[in-house]
Amino acid sequence: MKITTPRRISQIFFVSIFLWFCFVMTLGKEWWKLRGWSVNLFLNLDPLTGISTILTTRSLYSGLLWGLLTVILTIALGRFFCGWLCPFGAIHQFIGFIAHRKRKFAEKVQLNRYHPAQSVKYAILIFCLSGPVIGSVFGQAASLQTGLLDPIPLLHRSVNLALLPFTHHGLPRFYEGAGSVGIVFLIAVLMNLLIPRFYCRFICPLGALFGILSRFAIWRVVTTKETKDAKCTHCRLCERNCEGACEPSEKLRLSECVLCLNCLHECKHDLIGYGTGISHNMISPDLSKREFVVSAAVGLAVIPMLRLDGYTVANWNPALIRPPGALAEKEFLARCIKCGQCMRICPTNVIQPSGLIGGVESLWTPVLNFRIGTSGCQMNCIACGHSCPTAAIRPLSIDERMGLNAYKEKGPVRMGTAFVDRNRCLPWAMDKPCIVCQENCPVSPKSITTLEYFSQLPRYAKLMIKKADALHIELESNALEPNRFSTGDYYVMLKGDTQPRNIVENTANSLKISSLIPFNPAPAGQLEIQVRLQRPIVDPARCIGCGVCEHECPVRGQRAIRVSAENESRHREHALLV
């Protein structure tokens, strides 16, 4: 069996497992849904996430301890994760193989030669970790941005939002900004058409971290120029399919070796092996002191500069509504890796990737958009917090979410408050009957009540009665629209009377009123038609900002009732009530 066969089997296996974990991110007890599957396995094995959260928060979420295992195995075995486990690396390797398999030998060797720009990924790593360092060391604003380029969160985000949005409960899934997520993924993958494993060689900060750790690997790829049985002929067969571009024919760059083992398979003289031997050709990551200092300085400067917009303090955007259980904004940005797990698991599809609504550093973090999806944020749903790998959205219990039992005095978790736009609300602005928001409010007692108001319809203000009895009125003109006023919302008011009477039927020139309040005596003279309106009013002491009212509002453009982040539980300074 070829030495590369186990590696290929491992790659196929872990890619399949990764895709399966993304597919089962659906609530339910069936074996093909979330229950029982370790869907955050790859995120937990990612040590870059663990290291960066330690730097930003000075703490480590327990699930991320699995990253320590990856670190230990990397020190023992080398960059095994890149060549054997990483699903994103496997995709790059496959695309590169398909794209370049028919190239001539010399072209393949040239494609797989080391390029000085491969040091860029180390600069990216230093840049990504410098931002967290400023919060940990200097006590200033910390922001976790490794998720933008870390391959595991990047692949999760791409699959969750752009590649598998249609497989949730058989209903279509929509994600605002999914196109930009998909474009980043496609660019990363299609760059393999130019250079094999382009992302892994030039950009990947996780690969850079493994490159630094693998410099001290106990087991490693070992090259020998000459043995008693053979001598290197510099045929460069070992570089024909070298995935890391680590130049095994000259000076093996151990930090670039992804353990694809293609060189072991290609070498006809058995001068390349894998073991604990020492090779005099190994060198450290190719990053100059100047590049290190510049990368660190830029990373230290960028986050404070991004915070100058004031979005995390006084200039906070009330349209930025985080999922229930989200930490306060500064703490949230110090933990969120933009993986999209919460967006994928949300049963109503209201958790969406943020654009620039909260500034550049909030890009692709989760926000609530109540216009999209199938409903608002369900009161008895706590799935997002339990699927978050870094506790940026902390896991809640049902009792805490709904303010029950031990949490009764504290009350339910609030995401914001709904506000009625009286310039767009049908009963307030247009004299149109509507109580959709009040009917759909899930809070008990309801946070939306109504104010009853009778409004005169100017078009039907001076109708003359031809003849009438206790329940029927015939008019002198055909001024009415047949059956328009039989909905139960319209009333007859006689001139000089104070008692409106409900209309149950009408034709073009006649009306029938409810038998509950008949006329006595039969009316005569002039009448008008009024509409009974139930104008919604929100009680901020009860509203939790679930957004069901906004989702169901029949005003299809900008909703007449909208939720904003005022009064959210995660920020006391955003409170509306004393």
Side-chain angles (χ1 to χ4, degrees):
M1 182 173 66
K2 295 180 180 180
I3 195 170
T4 55
T5 300
R7 187 256 301 158
R8 292 170 182 167
I9 293 174
S10 175
Q11 288 178 309
I12 293 172
F13 173 77
F14 283 106
V15 168
S16 301
I17 289 294
F18 176 86
L19 294 176
W20 176 252
F21 286 165
C22 290
F23 181 81
V24 299
M25 283 290 288
T26 303
L27 291 179
K29 298 181 179 180
E30 296 83 353
W31 65 271
W32 47 272
K33 291 185 177 180
L34 178 65
R35 188 177 180 88
W37 295 103
S38 182
V39 293
N40 286 332
L41 174 64
F42 289 91
L43 292 165
N44 290 336
L45 288 173
D46 182 351
L48 183 55
T49 298
I51 292 172
S52 54
T53 52
I54 289 175
L55 292 175
T56 55
T57 66
R58 302 179 188 178
S59 62
L60 181 67
Y61 193 50
S62 59
L64 299 178
L65 283 171
W66 284 102
L68 182 61
L69 175 64
T70 309
V71 170
I72 294 173
L73 290 177
T74 300
I75 294 175
L77 306 174
R79 288 178 62 177
F80 80 100
F81 189 93
C82 300
W84 291 67
L85 268 70
C86 181
F88 204 31
I91 293 172
H92 290 305
Q93 187 161 337
F94 176 73
I95 298 299
F97 169 76
I98 294 298
H100 305 291
R101 70 187 188 282
K102 293 184 178 181
R103 285 183 178 269
K104 295 179 180 179
F105 174 79
E107 293 176 330
K108 286 187 175 183
V109 171
Q110 186 60 36
L111 281 172
N112 292 318
R113 297 287 289 171
Y114 176 79
H115 193 284
Q118 289 182 225
S119 64
V120 170
K121 63 178 174 289
Y122 298 101
I124 292 175
L125 173 65
I126 294 168
F127 169 81
C128 290
L129 293 182
S130 297
V133 164
I134 194 172
S136 178
V137 177
F138 300 104
Q140 298 183 26
S143 181
L144 184 59
Q145 299 299 319
T146 56
L148 289 172
L149 294 176
D150 188 340
I152 304 303
L154 189 156
L155 186 58
H156 267 284
R157 180 170 64 245
S158 301
V159 173
N160 285 336
L161 307 185
L163 302 182
L164 289 179
F166 50 84
T167 59
H168 200 287
H169 294 294
L171 297 174
R173 301 281 283 186
F174 301 98
Y175 294 101
E176 190 175 11
S180 61
V181 174
I183 288 172
V184 170
F185 173 78
L186 289 176
I187 290 175
V189 171
L190 294 178
M191 288 303 293
N192 294 290
L193 302 180
L194 301 177
I195 299 177
R197 290 193 81 143
F198 178 92
Y199 192 90
C200 307
R201 295 181 188 181
F202 298 97
I203 299 175
C204 181
L206 181 59
L209 176 62
F210 288 139
I212 295 172
L213 295 174
S214 66
R215 178 65 181 85
F216 310 99
I218 300 172
W219 284 275
R220 60 191 69 174
V221 173
V222 179
T223 62
T224 305
K225 295 299 181 182
E226 185 177 356
T227 67
K228 63 179 181 179
D229 299 320
K231 182 178 181 180
C232 180
T233 62
H234 297 284
C235 63
R236 292 191 174 177
L237 284 172
C238 55
E239 293 188 9
R240 176 169 59 179
N241 295 306
C242 179
E243 293 294 331
C246 55
E247 295 184 324
S249 69
E250 296 183 10
K251 46 184 179 182
L252 177 65
R253 299 174 182 270
L254 188 61
S255 58
E256 302 299 321
C257 178
V258 296
L259 290 183
C260 66
L261 304 183
N262 287 335
C263 57
L264 276 71
H265 173 68
E266 297 284 358
C267 184
K268 306 301 182 184
H269 306 290
D270 293 328
L271 297 176
I272 304 177
Y274 179 76
T276 57
I278 299 177
S279 173
H280 64 278
N281 289 326
M282 296 181 298
I283 63 173
S284 300
D286 186 11
L287 184 69
S288 68
K289 291 182 179 179
R290 177 179 296 179
E291 291 171 328
F292 177 88
V293 171
V294 170
S295 301
V298 172
L300 290 171
V302 163
I303 298 304
M305 290 174 63
L306 292 178
R307 294 287 172 89
L308 292 176
D309 54 23
Y311 281 149
T312 59
V313 285
N315 193 35
W316 63 280
N317 191 339
L320 184 71
I321 307 168
R322 297 294 188 191
L327 301 178
E329 191 64 12
K330 289 183 180 179
E331 290 76 11
F332 180 85
L333 293 174
R335 281 189 175 271
C336 181
I337 58 173
K338 316 169 196 295
C339 62
Q341 292 289 78
C342 56
M343 306 173 203
R344 174 69 183 168
I345 195 63
C346 179
T348 58
N349 194 202
V350 296
I351 303 182
Q352 297 287 311
S354 170
L356 301 178
I357 187 175
V360 175
E361 60 181 322
S362 74
L363 180 66
W364 294 331
T365 58
V367 295
L368 297 181
N369 182 343
F370 300 118
R371 291 189 58 194
I372 208 166
T374 58
S375 183
C377 182
Q378 300 301 296
M379 289 184 63
N380 61 348
C381 179
I382 52 176
C384 55
H386 287 270
S387 64
C388 179
T390 62
I393 305 173
R394 61 187 181 87
L396 302 173
S397 65
I398 291 290
D399 282 355
E400 183 178 5
R401 172 74 202 275
M402 301 183 67
L404 302 175
N405 300 323
Y407 302 93
K408 186 174 183 180
E409 183 176 348
K410 187 178 180 181
V413 173
R414 292 184 171 89
M415 294 155 283
T417 304
F419 290 86
V420 177
D421 184 345
R422 295 189 179 186
N423 290 319
R424 297 184 62 83
C425 179
L426 297 179
W428 281 102
M430 305 177 190
D431 286 346
K432 301 289 185 183
C434 178
I435 54 170
V436 170
C437 57
Q438 192 272 343
E439 288 179 326
N440 283 279
C441 178
V443 179
S444 181
K446 288 183 180 291
S447 63
I448 301 177
T449 56
T450 58
L451 178 66
E452 187 177 74
Y453 177 78
F454 286 87
S455 177
Q456 181 190 85
L457 300 181
R459 181 180 175 183
Y460 308 103
K462 297 180 180 180
L463 300 175
M464 299 303 298
I465 299 175
K466 183 177 181 180
K467 60 179 180 179
D469 57 28
L471 299 177
H472 298 84
I473 300 175
E474 184 178 345
L475 304 176
E476 293 184 353
S477 63
N478 296 329
L480 308 180
E481 300 173 30
N483 299 317
R484 176 185 173 183
F485 305 112
S486 58
T487 61
D489 299 306
Y490 294 92
Y491 290 75
V492 166
M493 176 69 76
L494 296 178
K495 187 175 181 179
D497 196 0
T498 59
Q499 177 64 61
R501 291 170 171 81
N502 189 217
I503 301 172
V504 295
E505 292 181 19
N506 81 277
T507 65
N509 65 343
S510 67
L511 298 167
K512 180 181 178 181
I513 66 169
S514 170
S515 59
L516 295 177
I517 310 177
F519 288 110
N520 187 19
Q526 184 176 298
L527 62 79
E528 63 184 35
I529 295 180
Q530 296 183 347
V531 58
R532 175 178 174 266
L533 302 172
Q534 294 171 277
R535 293 176 169 176
I537 299 174
V538 177
D539 183 352
R542 295 178 180 174
C543 182
I544 63 172
C546 67
V548 173
C549 56
E550 181 175 345
H551 183 274
E552 300 299 331
C553 179
V555 180
R556 294 289 89 186
Q558 185 181 39
R559 300 296 199 263
I561 184 168
R562 302 186 294 276
V563 176
S564 72
E566 279 99 347
N567 216 32
E568 59 182 349
S569 297
R570 68 191 188 114
H571 279 296
R572 289 188 177 182
E573 60 270 26
H574 296 173
L576 283 173
L577 305 175
V578 178

